[in-house]
Each structure stands twice: as C-alpha cells, then as structure tokens.
Amino acid sequence: MPKAKGKTRRQKFGYSVNRKRLNRNARRKAAPRIECSHIRHAWDHTKSVRQNLAEMGLAMDPNKVVPLRKRKVKAMDVDVEVRPQELVRKPYVLSDLEAEASLPEKKGNTLSRDLIDYVRYMVENHGEDYKAMARDEKNYYQDTPKQIRNKINVYKRFYPAEWQAFVLSLKNTMEVE
C-alpha cells in the first residue's frame, strides 16, 4: 500500500560518519558467523576462505585432497600433477580441533526427577508385582503393568550404579525388619 503524500521525510547525508569503518563493519556483519571458536579466532578476514583453511591445515574440498581412484582409466606418469604442500602457519587450530574431538561425548539425556521418584516409590512398595503397581493410587497416568515395567527398565539402563545401590538398600531394610 503506498504511503500518503507528504508523509515521507527527506534523508539527510551524515557528514560525521566514517564511511570506511561503516562499510567494513557492514561487510563483517554480512559474513556468516563461524560457529567453531577455534577457527573463528584464527580467521583472517583479509584472506579468502581457501587461504584461511590452508593456513590452518584444513581442506576446502575433501575430494581434491583425498582423490578417489578411478578403476577404468589408468593415469600415465606425465598426466599426474604433484601439488606442492601448502605451508601450515596455524597448526594450533588443527591440534585444538583434534583435542576437542577426542573428548568423550557428554551424556545429554537424563530422566525427569518425577519419573525417578515414581519408579523408586513403586519398587519400594511393590517389588516386582507390576499388577499391584498398576492399581496403586500414585499411578496417576494409569500406566499398564507393561508400561510400568518399561519405565523401570529405562531407569535401570540410565542409572545402573544408582539402581544397584537402591536394590542393596532395599535388601538391607528387608533384613533388618
């Protein structure tokens, strides 16, 4: 929809603005943000992507670095080009990436506190009797005996050490009584 006549203001030129800095900052903001912090800190904005990656010891195109052998065509000695190895000026980036990749992955998935309490309550009061668990008043979601058994198995799989300690404590309380 067009604007009403006379409602637009004329833009005035900003003489006090440093155009060179403004354009440089606009170029940087327009470039995509590099997620990897090691590569981002070593990046040189004055160089191309290929030059930056070569300095870090990384490959721009993995197909050219590790070429696939073609079975039908046999290359002659004359046709094969030997590329000179590019100098790695920033080897610390590669070593940092390798160190980060060798770290064990964090276990991100855990069970909710409510589910843990629910499973512990059911096992404390009913042991292995899943039908009694299904009839229990704390079974708010009306889980069937098989669903309750599956929830207990999930708890066993996620926290095997805690499960063993829990079962031992239950046996100790049974022996005392």
Side-chain angles (χ1 to χ4, degrees):
M1 198 172 173
K3 293 181 182 177
K5 190 174 180 184
K7 291 293 180 187
T8 56
R9 251 202 167 131
R10 201 182 75 154
Q11 293 289 323
K12 294 183 180 177
F13 186 79
Y15 290 98
S16 62
V17 176
N18 184 347
R19 296 282 152 198
K20 189 175 183 180
R21 187 184 318 131
L22 189 72
N23 289 336
R24 186 176 62 224
N25 289 343
R27 258 197 326 270
R28 281 199 184 133
K29 286 179 182 171
R33 186 171 193 284
I34 300 169
E35 291 297 321
C36 179
S37 62
H38 304 298
I39 295 175
R40 187 176 346 111
H41 292 307
W43 198 264
D44 186 2
H45 291 283
T46 60
K47 297 184 180 175
S48 69
V49 175
R50 185 178 300 279
Q51 289 170 335
N52 270 307
L53 292 176
E55 281 186 354
M56 294 177 209
L58 301 173
M60 170 88 175
D61 186 6
N63 295 321
K64 290 182 181 174
V65 176
V66 184
L68 293 174
R69 290 189 321 219
K70 297 191 177 173
R71 295 175 187 199
K72 292 182 180 177
V73 179
K74 293 184 180 179
M76 294 176 60
D77 294 335
V78 179
D79 295 341
V80 177
E81 287 182 28
V82 178
R83 285 190 176 187
Q85 289 290 342
E86 295 179 15
L87 183 65
V88 179
R89 293 195 175 112
K90 300 175 183 177
Y92 59 90
V93 175
L94 198 57
S95 60
D96 289 345
L97 288 172
E98 287 173 350
E100 188 177 329
S102 67
L103 292 175
E105 190 176 343
K106 290 180 186 174
K107 188 176 178 184
N109 48 359
T110 59
L111 297 178
S112 68
R113 191 73 237 168
D114 293 339
L115 183 63
I116 293 170
D117 294 340
Y118 172 76
V119 167
R120 287 177 154 246
Y121 168 81
M122 290 295 184
V123 173
E124 279 176 12
N125 291 334
H126 303 290
E128 294 283 321
D129 189 5
Y130 299 114
K131 287 184 180 178
M133 291 180 195
R135 290 191 301 271
D136 193 290
E137 61 186 14
K138 288 256 183 164
N139 184 7
Y140 300 127
Y141 299 112
Q142 296 183 354
D143 293 329
T144 62
K146 280 190 175 181
Q147 288 173 323
I148 294 171
R149 188 187 68 211
N150 288 339
K151 286 182 180 182
I152 292 171
N153 288 338
V154 166
Y155 178 71
K156 287 179 189 177
R157 204 171 47 244
F158 270 72
Y159 305 105
E162 284 184 28
W163 175 255
Q164 290 298 324
F166 178 62
V167 170
L168 286 173
S169 68
L170 282 178
K171 286 181 181 176
N172 291 339
T173 56
M174 295 292 181
E175 289 174 3
V176 171
E177 294 174 1

